[in-house]
Amino acid sequence: MDLALPRTFDAAYGAGVDRGLCLGGGGLFFVAWQVSYLQTLATLGVRLDAADRVVGTSAGSMVGTAMTSGKLKRLHAEVSLLAKVPALVSALAPASELAPSQQRALDLFLKATDGEPATVQAIGHAALAAATPRPETMRLNTSLVLGPGRWTSDALRITCVDAYTGERCVITREANVSIPRAVAASSAVPGIFAPQPIDDRMCMDGGVSGTGTHLDVFGGAKRVLILAITDGAGVSEGMMTLHPEDGLKELGDLEHSGTAVMLRTPAKVDLLELMSPSSVPEALAMGARQAGDDVALLSSFWS
């Protein structure tokens, strides 16, 4: 099965999808915000787990997996007790000291102002050369957080990027890839975690692609709720393969495909603290508060 899926809205990948949920990337902070936002909505009666398609990227791959497998409440409890769940920190937070080869790969990613193929390939090659912990370490930590590696949902899509070719890959249940492996690939930040073997590929973080949301996978869907780390407002410089105008263009392209869109982002984000465990308490409180504010509007949009 070829996992590479070209990024294009012309293909209308989401045709026939009634309700879509997009869970973007954003480190440990965004795992906490998303899981708090979604769990609060669930307790208030808005069941987003009824989505026909859930696309998870990096942080969103972990949250999307938990939600589609009925383990969102468990993940919320684990994140809330972060100090007692070192596996979650190990799975999503970087080591304090990086080897020079790791730092080179991470710097290439952080400083990348576009998602052009040559840029993504250069980052991928550096990621492959970096002296990171072994790939199985990340998979083990992911399985400790999410539980057994059984793929339970046909709705779930997990994104990653081939570190050698730079191609965007989308993993589904049909690919016969374990959940821990798919999530570890989608969350493999260059230089911090090793690219993961997926079929005949070595795959890295799905956000190393010029997008952290992959909205084209919903092209032509009826409606989509998007949880993204930022809407791009106020961003003047490119970073992490994202050009400042890319997010708004991608959103506009999805709407142009005929999809009704609702976008939600954290009320406050410090991009330098996304991987810091100290950001988690604020993220949890913020997610719960914003979900409470959004419940009426979202209930109407989703029903």
Side-chain angles (χ1 to χ4, degrees), residues 233-259:
V235 179
S236 59
E237 297 182 0
M239 61 182 300
M240 296 185 288
T241 72
L242 299 173
H243 186 276
E245 299 175 1
D246 285 349
L248 290 177
K249 182 181 184 305
E250 190 177 14
L251 191 65
D253 287 342
L254 179 58
E255 292 177 321
H256 186 70
S257 76
T259 302

Side-chain angles (χ1 to χ4, degrees), residues 58-74:
S58 197
S61 70
M62 181 168 286
V63 178
T65 295
M67 193 182 72
T68 56
S69 61
K71 297 177 181 176
L72 184 65
K73 186 175 181 179
R74 166 183 161 169

